[in-house]
Amino acid sequence: MSRGFARRVLDWHATHGRTDLPWQHPVSPYRVWVSEIMLQQTQVATVIPYFEAFVARFPDVASLAAAEVDAVLGLWSGLGYYARARNLHRAAQVIVQEHGGEFPERIDALRALPGIGRSTAGAVLSLSRNAAHPILDGNVKRVLARHDAIEGWPDKSAVAARLWQRAEALLPRDEPGRFNQAMMDLGATVCTRSRPRCAQCPVRTTCRAQAAGTVDRFPGRRARVPIPERQTWMLLLRDPSHGVLLQRRSASGRWGGLWSFPEFDARAAALDWAAQRCGALAKVEELAPFRHTFSHFHLDIRPLLASPAAAPGQVMEAAGCVWYKGGQRPGGLPRPVTRLLSELGFG
């Protein structure tokens, strides 16, 4: 059955597969790698303009390795999950320093790089070098879970092990790269999360979920838990002659390494911080609060606009801050910060 499954998927792909994605022309380990990292937790339509801008600025691994991290994060602004960009940058440096600027051909060496797991490594090697390694991204998990009626949440270790076993067994050794692309395309365009187009599926006649009328049950979902809510005060310290103050966040944690407004747990703490560095404040105004949702919690943001009574003088370098006047940004900016800058006229 494995060979028949692969043949049907490959024949379907020959007519219906996606063959015009920008990372496919030309195809290279570097371009596949960048696209795979960007596509984690992100839709293709969103990724395409980011990918094109990124490879225009950093056309190869050497140029990425030589870049400042602010430049990398700047091109990632708005794409989210910024640890991906930091890992991409670090991995490029390792490839240059330890592998002579060439992508490792062994999957274990590739998986040793920052931010590269088994599926990403398999995608890089199979799609760019036609090496026989399976993949298991979200689209492939969905196709296999439905076809084989594999119960349970796919990220649970026991369920993931079964899915990997099936992905390995179904992989044709003569066309692994095209098969992996076909499986991703099948999940993205036919075996979709909602309203799958089962009538157009090339493997519908052997799909156990389709036969049982239980397609909507697969893949299994994670047990629902309440999403935590957090709150932060963002200090928008604005001076007419200097601009608005931005502060680099620490490398780890939320928005690691990006430039943001100084954040505080309480309104009083924000005003104390500003007074200690700028002296008296001429004006303080609370702007409309809003919510920004991450994958695992809600963040309620309370913007606090304040103006120093006197010119604050030089940039507060000790606090890792810069005065931003608009135009070229110092580096990556979180989406809520971009929104607030636009409201202040610094878009």
Side-chain angles (χ1 to χ4, degrees):
M1 183 180 107
S2 297
R3 184 62 188 174
F5 179 100
R7 187 72 265 157
R8 283 177 286 158
V9 171
L10 287 167
D11 288 347
W12 170 86
H13 181 263
T15 302
H16 303 288
R18 297 177 295 185
T19 59
D20 58 350
L21 299 172
W23 41 90
Q24 297 173 326
H25 306 286
V27 67
S28 70
Y30 174 74
R31 291 170 67 87
V32 172
W33 171 52
V34 171
S35 70
E36 286 295 313
I37 298 300
M38 287 187 168
L39 286 165
Q40 293 171 2
Q41 308 290 329
T42 311
Q43 297 293 321
V44 167
T46 300
V47 163
I48 287 176
Y50 280 93
F51 174 84
E52 292 175 335
F54 196 91
V55 297
R57 177 75 176 275
F58 308 121
D60 50 41
V61 70
S63 58
L64 176 57
E68 295 291 334
V69 69
D70 271 345
V72 178
L73 291 170
L75 287 174
W76 211 272
S77 289
L79 198 56
Y81 301 96
Y82 293 95
R84 297 181 298 174
R86 296 193 299 274
N87 284 333
L88 200 74
H89 186 234
R90 287 198 295 268
Q93 293 175 331
V94 174
I95 291 170
V96 168
Q97 294 165 6
E98 299 182 12
H99 299 280
E102 298 293 329
F103 271 78
E105 296 186 8
R106 290 179 19 250
I107 194 165
D108 56 344
L110 200 55
R111 290 180 65 182
L113 297 173
I116 298 184
R118 181 179 177 182
S119 187
T120 299
V124 171
L125 294 177
S126 65
L127 298 180
S128 68
R129 292 174 172 160
N130 203 36
H133 296 290
I135 65 170
L136 199 62
D137 75 343
N139 288 314
V140 178
K141 289 176 183 177
R142 188 164 54 253
V143 172
L144 294 180
R146 286 172 173 168
H147 185 269
D148 288 12
I150 296 175
E151 301 275 0
W153 180 46
D155 287 348
K156 189 175 180 179
S157 58
V159 180
R162 289 189 62 193
L163 291 169
W164 273 114
Q165 184 180 40
R166 292 301 294 145
E168 182 76 49
L170 293 169
L171 185 74
R173 267 42 189 178
D174 54 342
E175 293 187 89
R178 192 163 76 86
F179 176 77
N180 283 341
Q181 184 63 59
M183 288 290 284
M184 290 190 287
D185 292 352
L186 183 61
T189 64
V190 174
C191 193
T192 50
R193 183 178 290 106
S194 59
R195 298 183 181 178
R197 299 187 295 119
C198 295
Q200 283 75 52
C201 180
V203 294
R204 64 186 179 279
T205 57
T206 52
C207 178
R208 294 178 61 186
Q210 164 70 7
T214 57
V215 171
D216 290 343
R217 277 182 49 195
F218 301 95
R221 291 167 175 76
R222 186 177 189 175
R224 288 191 176 184
V225 296
I227 299 178
E229 298 179 355
R230 304 178 188 174
Q231 179 176 279
T232 188
W233 288 83
M234 282 189 174
L235 178 64
L236 284 58
L237 195 60
R238 184 173 186 177
D239 176 76
S241 60
H242 290 78
V244 64
L245 193 76
L246 295 177
Q247 183 179 47
R248 187 196 291 276
R249 296 183 61 84
S250 63
S252 60
R254 168 166 48 90
W255 297 325
L258 274 66
W259 291 87
S260 179
F261 299 112
E263 290 187 46
F264 305 88
D265 293 334
R267 184 181 192 275
L271 296 179
D272 286 346
W273 187 91
Q276 289 173 12
R277 287 159 177 78
C278 297
L281 298 175
K283 180 181 179 182
V284 177
E285 177 185 357
E286 290 188 25
L287 304 183
F290 62 96
R291 171 168 286 188
H292 182 76
T293 298
F294 294 87
S295 60
H296 55 293
F297 70 94
H298 297 301
L299 182 66
D300 291 321
I301 298 172
R302 306 202 60 173
L304 191 62
L305 180 62
S307 301
Q314 297 183 351
V315 172
M316 294 178 286
E317 296 178 355
C321 298
V322 296
W323 290 101
Y324 174 66
K325 293 185 177 182
Q328 186 174 0
R329 294 171 177 176
L333 301 175
R335 191 180 298 274
V337 174
T338 302
R339 167 181 170 171
L340 288 169
L341 283 171
S342 179
E343 291 180 11
L344 294 177
F346 292 93

